[in-house]
Amino acid sequence: MVTQACGVDFGTSNSTVACYRSGQSQLLALEDGKVTLPSVVFFNAEEETTAFGRAAIGEYLDGYEGRLMRSLKSLLGTNLMNGQTEVNGRALRFMDLLSSFIGALKQRAEAQAGQTFTQAVFGRPVFFVDDDPVADKLAEDTLAEIARRAGFQDVAFQFEPIAAAFDYESRIQREELVLIVDIGGGTSDFSLVRLAPQRMALLDRRADILANGGVHIGGTDFDKQLSLHSVMPLLGYRSRLKNNAEVPSGYYFNLATWHTINFVYSRKTLSDLQGVYADALERDKLDRLFSVIEKRAGHWLAIQIEAAKIALSDTAVHSLSLDEITQGLTHDLTRGQFDEAIDRQIDSVTQTITRLLQDAGITAGQVDTVFFTGGASAVPLLRERVAALLPLAAKVEGDRYGSIGSGLALDALRRFA
């Protein structure tokens, strides 16, 4: 069966599109044969072009003048969505920025599938915005408007962990009570769902969803904490001034956060820092900060830190090369430092899971399976803490980047076919 419906997983770090054909859900190649498209846009000032995904990162790292923007999904539900930013000397509305990326996502999927998609189920976190239902609804409505601008006529939404559950359900042989643990770039989302092969065709699955929960913590937060804990001190974070006060921390928090990196490049920041430099006790560290600003290497540094986070999921020590900042500068990061950096965030994640089970009236021993998905679900400390909460449950690894998109395509088939 071929339909004009697809599933769209617009992620903070990576995005996918899937459709149902040949009797199964299929992820579509979106860039260089890969099914993920990094949620990144680069406005090339020299060529006056716009690049997306890996190509965007590549042009930025090749040294082209321009503006790199990432973590676009994080804008939803914030006041920034009503505003604009300057890109290569021109004003760009954030609404138009997200529309251009979703439009590119749709075009690439259609080119790969050889057909037009007019209907879509978009994934959404359990909470776009924590503890603010009005802002959360606004975020969903905004994404729906962006999707329609991109050319989708019928738009529906599904919680991302529920979509992952549908993907897992397509592969099981018996009924299971499953906790979906979806750790994405911007949010951690959880669903407790009763799954079974005989339930797959049902349109109404509300009775099978025992509880949903989420917290606004994800892979980009892990990057930020690793940066602040282990890398920003090399640039002067928490170093002292002559009056024993700390160097103002705002510069480092902006530099450690994807969507605020460009704030560090402003003339006001440079002027303020020159005043701070005069009173600094460790000027060699501030020299490195000035180097980052002058070379506009903030995004480069963020990419190195993200790569270190990924590496520390598989190794105990990762050597970070910082030649771009200071020739010959290296810094070893350890798994222990990473664990210490993100300990508070992981606690928030496990507390959310504990509340979810309590709200559902389910004990840990009743959960059959924990299904991990999302790019940041591989973090060892997260796995250890979740395993300690649910020691008897089987631990199943989903497609970190593809489970949600595949599940959304199955949901699109139910809704639109």
Side-chain angles (χ1 to χ4, degrees):
M1 179 185 296
V2 177
T3 76
Q4 288 188 302
C6 65
V8 180
D9 178 19
F10 171 41
T12 302
S13 299
N14 292 278
S15 297
T16 64
V17 180
C19 64
Y20 189 86
R21 54 174 52 188
S22 302
Q24 63 182 355
S25 180
Q26 294 184 358
L27 291 161
L28 299 169
L30 300 174
E31 183 180 27
D32 299 332
K34 297 179 175 64
V35 298
T36 57
L37 181 69
S39 304
V40 186
V41 182
F42 181 65
F43 297 94
N44 190 319
E46 296 180 41
E47 305 289 338
E48 296 187 350
T49 55
T50 302
F52 301 92
R54 295 170 187 81
I57 296 171
E59 288 188 17
Y60 172 79
L61 293 178
D62 285 342
Y64 282 96
E65 289 292 325
R67 177 83 181 270
L68 183 75
M69 304 189 75
R70 190 178 177 182
S71 297
L72 310 178
K73 187 178 179 180
S74 299
L75 295 166
L76 292 168
T78 71
N79 293 331
L80 288 175
M81 281 307 305
N82 297 320
Q84 59 188 31
T85 187
E86 183 179 316
V87 174
N88 301 336
R90 295 188 295 271
L92 174 69
R93 296 175 64 232
F94 286 113
M95 178 70 81
D96 294 332
L97 169 65
L98 267 66
S99 296
S100 69
F101 181 80
I102 296 298
L105 198 62
K106 181 176 185 290
Q107 291 166 11
R108 290 170 185 237
E110 290 175 337
Q112 180 66 24
Q115 68 171 91
T116 299
F117 294 119
T118 59
Q119 302 162 317
V121 177
F122 274 71
R124 58 149 294 165
V126 174
F127 301 114
F128 278 109
V129 183
D130 293 341
D131 303 318
D132 191 339
V134 174
D136 188 81
K137 181 63 164 62
L138 177 61
E140 181 178 290
D141 291 345
T142 301
L143 183 53
E145 181 181 346
I146 289 168
R148 286 190 287 269
R149 283 187 177 198
F152 291 110
Q153 297 172 16
D154 299 310
V155 180
F157 289 92
Q158 181 58 267
F159 289 140
E160 288 158 358
I162 296 297
F166 291 155
D167 176 54
Y168 178 59
E169 187 177 51
S170 69
R171 292 179 270 132
I172 62 176
Q173 304 300 318
R174 61 178 180 83
E175 182 175 306
E176 296 181 22
L177 181 58
V178 182
L179 175 67
I180 306 296
V181 177
D182 170 25
I183 315 294
T187 59
S188 294
D189 295 300
F190 315 99
S191 289
L192 191 61
V193 192
R194 197 171 301 283
L195 302 176
Q198 61 269 28
R199 286 185 165 94
M200 284 182 60
L202 298 176
L203 288 175
D204 189 349
R205 298 297 300 273
R206 284 175 292 183
D208 293 331
I209 302 169
L210 278 66
N212 287 312
V215 62
H216 213 74
I217 292 172
T220 56
D221 298 286
F222 300 156
D223 296 343
K224 178 178 179 177
Q225 295 305 319
L226 179 61
S227 178
L228 289 170
H229 187 272
S230 301
V231 179
M232 290 301 152
L234 300 174
L235 311 183
Y237 176 52
R238 310 210 75 171
S239 64
R240 298 286 175 173
L241 303 174
K242 292 176 182 177
N243 64 2
N244 203 38
E246 289 187 357
V247 171
S249 62
Y251 313 121
Y252 304 101
F253 276 80
N254 283 337
L255 200 55
T257 307
W258 263 101
H259 59 273
T260 59
I261 290 173
N262 284 293
F263 295 169
V264 183
Y265 303 147
S266 70
R267 291 178 182 176
K268 183 180 186 306
T269 294
L270 194 57
S271 176
D272 290 347
L273 269 173
Q274 287 168 345
V276 171
Y277 186 85
D279 292 327
L281 295 178
E282 298 180 86
R283 292 183 178 179
D284 58 325
K285 293 182 177 179
L286 287 185
D287 285 336
R288 295 168 183 161
L289 178 58
F290 276 112
S291 177
V292 171
I293 294 172
E294 290 165 2
K295 295 177 180 179
R296 293 183 171 254
H299 292 93
W300 173 87
L301 181 58
I303 291 168
Q304 308 314 305
I305 292 167
E306 181 184 28
K309 173 197 69 179
I310 294 169
L312 288 171
S313 292
D314 298 316
T315 185
V317 181
H318 176 75
S319 184
L320 192 65
S321 175
L322 300 171
D323 274 347
E324 183 76 11
I325 299 171
T326 301
Q327 188 64 37
L329 179 63
T330 61
H331 183 62
D332 286 344
L333 299 173
T334 69
R335 173 82 62 76
Q337 290 172 333
F338 182 37
D339 289 350
E340 185 178 341
I342 64 172
D343 183 74
R344 183 179 297 179
Q345 284 68 37
I346 298 298
D347 271 351
S348 294
V349 168
T350 55
Q351 288 167 14
T352 303
I353 293 174
T354 299
R355 286 195 299 270
L356 180 101
L357 294 174
Q358 292 171 346
D359 291 345
I362 295 294
T363 66
Q366 291 176 278
V367 178
D368 298 306
T369 306
V370 179
F371 182 78
F372 290 100
T373 188
S377 66
V379 171
L381 184 63
L382 171 79
R383 295 293 189 104
E384 292 168 13
R385 297 277 178 86
V386 173
L389 281 179
L390 299 158
L392 300 180
K395 312 303 185 293
V396 176
E397 180 79 34
D399 183 333
R400 291 179 197 163
Y401 301 101
S403 289
I404 292 172
S406 295
L408 291 170
L410 292 172
D411 199 29
L413 178 70
R414 295 189 189 99
R415 291 173 188 251
F416 297 122

